Amino acid sequence: MGEEEEGEMTAPAYYNENNPYAAQWLRNLIDAGHVAAGDVDERDLNAEMASAAQLNPAHSRWLMGYPAAWDACAPTETPSSRKSRRRS
């Protein structure tokens, strides 16, 4: 693995694996120095996210790089393009 320069700090790696066998395999790879040192999280994040609250629209807007003024915009709809037919 690459050597760190003096004074340079790197964050530990984060691994998520909810299969116990694969999680232990990751720990063995970390111990052997084959992958970056870090934490192995065995939680099922998909199950945890399913029960989480709704996504914050302002956060989504920020992630996409839109200006904060967009938070004040009212919800919009696309008007229907169907027009009623006149019967003669």
Side-chain angles (χ1 to χ4, degrees), residues 5 8 12 15-16 26 28 31 36-39 51 59 72 83:
E5 299 208 12
E8 183 179 322
Y15 303 96
N16 177 251
L26 271 170
N28 293 342
D31 292 342
D39 298 318
S51 65
H59 180 69
K83 295 184 179 184

Side-chain angles (χ1 to χ4, degrees), residues 5 7 9-10 14 17 22 29 32 39 41 43 45-46 49 54 59-60 64 69 76 81 87:
E5 299 208 12
M9 294 182 67
T10 58
Y14 173 79
E17 181 54 68
L29 291 171
D39 298 318
D41 184 352
R43 293 178 295 163
L45 296 182
N46 290 329
M49 292 301 290
Q54 282 187 321
H59 180 69
S60 297
M64 293 185 286
T76 60
S81 61
R87 297 191 179 208

Side-chain angles (χ1 to χ4, degrees), residues 61 65-71:
R61 184 243 340 127
Y66 294 129
W70 284 38
D71 288 345

